[in-house]
Amino acid sequence: MNGKVWLVGAGPGDPELLTLKAVKALNQAEIVMIDDLVNPEVLEHCPTARVIRVGKRGGCRSTPQEFIHRLMLRYARQGKCVVRLKGGDPCIFGRGSEEAEWLAERGIESELVNGITAGLAGATNCGIPLTLRGISRGVTLVTAHTQDDSSLNWQALAQTGTTLVVYMGVAKLADIREGLLAGGMSRAMPVAMIENASLPHQRECRSTLGQMQADAKAFELKSPAILVIGEVAAAAAVLPMARSA
């Protein structure tokens, strides 16, 4: 009898942001396949499980996706309870739906468990509301790193009128800046660049669209980081800082 694969979001890094459902899945796990950006502290919820590291990070040596697929399939066919533990949310730039579909095609049951995404947690920790009545009616989550390395339509995104939360954008700051400016976004548009969202060593750099590339260089901004672009990025006084007690 086949086992089950849980595709679990571990959240942005703060282990206290792990959901109860994620904890339940980890408690049952026999095999845990963990991404690089997952805080290892969450492994206290699966002390008897075998932990396999299957990191995938830009600019670093990564575990091939095909190998990850085969591992999940192998252990599930052995009847094991498998947790594929991902940073953030498995369905926000996390390949969760792709893996669930791949497993279903091979007769393996899976279940997706949401996690808090870094864009939300990082902004909240900086006192930034991603939506704010009278200022931002919506939020758009985008990744600057595409599978085929093609450029997004930043001009169109500039005209949405929503807060933009950009993942994996540190290496693409020049493209983002030029594309948004070409789309009519003001050079004075507030920008928050947030590194290591929700972790004790989270850092933030406040800037503007016109200045963000120079400020990021002076700040020595590094991945993992998210960008919040919109009027709300100047609204830090609206929310108290959401640091852990």
Side-chain angles (χ1 to χ4, degrees):
M1 181 177 179
N2 289 335
K4 178 176 178 177
V5 177
W6 295 77
L7 303 165
V8 177
D14 181 351
E16 293 185 356
L17 293 179
L18 200 66
T19 67
L20 293 174
K21 191 166 188 178
V23 170
K24 178 182 176 181
L26 286 169
N27 287 162
Q28 299 173 357
E30 296 169 273
I31 304 292
V32 175
M33 300 170 58
I34 184 172
D35 278 349
D36 278 348
L37 292 179
V38 174
N39 189 329
E41 290 183 31
V42 304
L43 296 176
E44 69 180 32
H45 299 293
C46 53
T48 63
R50 179 185 176 189
V51 176
I52 304 172
R53 301 189 181 278
V54 288
K56 297 176 71 66
R57 295 187 65 176
C60 303
R61 185 175 180 179
S62 297
T63 306
Q65 186 64 35
E66 296 77 13
F67 180 72
I68 294 171
H69 282 165
R70 292 198 300 272
L71 276 183
M72 290 191 294
L73 182 62
R74 177 197 303 171
Y75 289 116
R77 283 181 171 170
Q78 291 175 5
K80 305 288 189 184
C81 178
V82 181
V83 167
R84 171 82 167 97
L85 195 59
K86 301 166 175 284
D89 183 280
C91 291
I92 298 181
F93 313 123
R95 297 193 178 187
S97 61
E98 297 172 36
E99 293 178 354
E101 182 179 3
W102 190 91
L103 291 166
E105 289 171 351
R106 288 152 182 82
I108 302 299
E109 180 187 3
S110 67
E111 184 170 345
L112 287 156
V113 179
N114 291 117
I116 295 176
T117 187
L120 173 59
T124 300
N125 271 9
C126 293
I128 299 172
L130 294 182
T131 63
L132 186 62
R133 188 167 50 177
I135 295 180
S136 174
R137 294 184 176 181
V139 57
T140 302
L141 308 180
V142 298
T143 174
H145 179 76
T146 56
Q147 186 173 16
D148 59 2
D149 206 32
S150 60
S151 179
L152 295 182
N153 189 342
W154 294 107
Q155 292 91 333
L157 288 167
Q159 299 171 29
T160 64
T162 64
T163 302
L164 299 181
V165 178
V166 184
Y167 293 70
M168 294 172 274
V170 173
K172 299 279 188 177
L173 288 177
D175 293 342
I176 296 167
R177 175 182 176 275
E178 296 308 315
L180 293 176
L181 288 173
M185 187 174 282
S186 169
R187 294 177 62 88
M189 181 64 73
V191 175
M193 296 174 279
I194 306 168
E195 183 183 295
N196 290 309
S198 84
L199 290 170
H201 52 288
Q202 174 177 309
R203 298 195 306 150
E204 61 180 290
C205 177
R206 301 301 179 104
S207 184
T208 62
L209 181 62
Q211 188 65 24
M212 72 174 186
Q213 193 176 359
D215 286 346
K217 183 177 180 180
F219 186 71
E220 298 183 347
L221 183 72
K222 296 180 177 62
S223 296
I226 56 105
L227 314 177
V228 179
I229 304 173
E231 296 294 346
V232 295
V238 176
L239 292 178
M241 299 295 280
R243 304 297 189 191
S244 297

